[in-house]
Amino acid sequence: MRRERFIAGNWKMNKGVSESLEFLDKFSVLLEQGEDIPDAVSVAIFPQAVNIVPMADHIRSRGVNILLGIQNVHWKPSGAFTGENSIPCAIEAGAKLALVGHSERRHIFREDDLWVSSKYLACLEQGVEPLLCVGETEEERNRGLTEDVIERQVSAVFSHDPGIMAEQERILIAYEPVWAIGTGLNATPRDAGECCAFIRELLSGLGGPSLADRSLISYGGSVKSSNSEDYLEQEEIDGLLIGGASLDPDEFYRIVCDAF
Ligand code: PEP
């Protein structure tokens, strides 16, 4: 049986409140005119943190089946961490998910594996579902290190404490090769599928085959409506994490429909 589908838009540092609500209005009209999102498909948006409260209110009032997530969190629930986002506050605002280890956080903001695993653990402890992003740089790929990097990034989060895995209903991971993010370059659907299969094998080794089978592994990196179906056709790719193409409601809707 097919696993659930997971389609998420990462808006990065784009869209203010009015543009975000306009997007939701357009997106919900498209859903009303077409098909509603089936239960087996989760659709999520990661807007800027300041937009979560108005978007959550709007989603509630329009009855749209979209989850909201926060793009970055700190592991401490509160304190002197200027500019960071507290998980309990994000939950209160309406976030159900949190991105952890996105390549822009790892490479621009120098977050290392220890930070990523601290954030991941904090999400579980404080009650928001983490979406862990992993992936190699172009240089690492050219040196044949793709699997080594993925293994290191996955193990950094799960191998210290197998108890982390036992507590989870499912694990959400996005395989996002750094060289494909925002560049217009794509991993081929076959390569992306193989990396997702490799991640599932790692999860199986760390947490057992049943947890690995329930987990949802997505691909991200320059996905558009013109190639989304090619990725979703791959047996091992359960979903997509989309940056640029998720900013346009028509384009995002076309991609979401490929998952139905
Ligand atoms: C992302 O931000 O996670 C991403 C995949 O971006 P893009 O789709 O623009 O490559």
Side-chain angles (χ1 to χ4, degrees), residues 102-111 135-137 140 153 178:
H102 188 275
S103 79
E104 285 149 22
R105 302 292 322 171
R106 289 182 192 262
H107 297 283
I108 302 174
F109 299 100
R110 302 263 179 264
E111 289 190 9
E136 81 287 0
T137 61
E140 288 162 340
Q153 292 176 340
V178 179

Side-chain angles (χ1 to χ4, degrees), residues 10 12 102 104 176 180-182 220-223 241-244:
N10 172 19
K12 314 189 190 212
H102 188 275
E104 285 149 22
E176 297 206 302
I181 299 180
S222 298
V223 174
L241 179 55
I242 305 138

Side-chain angles (χ1 to χ4, degrees), residues 54-73:
M55 286 181 75
D57 286 345
H58 209 66
I59 283 170
R60 258 191 304 275
S61 68
R62 296 288 303 241
V64 201
N65 198 4
I66 293 181
L67 300 167
L68 291 176
I70 186 147
Q71 295 175 15
N72 176 42
V73 291

Side-chain angles (χ1 to χ4, degrees), residues 122-158:
C123 286
L124 296 183
E125 284 167 1
Q126 296 171 39
V128 76
E129 188 171 21
L131 166 54
L132 175 68
C133 303
V134 298
E136 81 287 0
T137 61
E138 187 176 18
E139 194 214 332
E140 288 162 340
R141 185 174 193 86
N142 292 340
R143 288 170 57 208
L145 296 175
T146 299
E147 291 196 348
D148 292 347
V149 171
I150 294 174
E151 184 163 4
R152 193 202 75 227
Q153 292 176 340
V154 170
S155 306
V157 171
F158 299 112

Side-chain angles (χ1 to χ4, degrees), residues 166-186:
E167 285 160 23
Q168 291 183 80
E169 184 52 36
R170 64 178 187 183
I171 289 169
L172 299 179
I173 296 191
Y175 166 59
E176 297 206 302
V178 179
W179 50 271
I181 299 180
T183 57
L185 300 171
N186 303 95

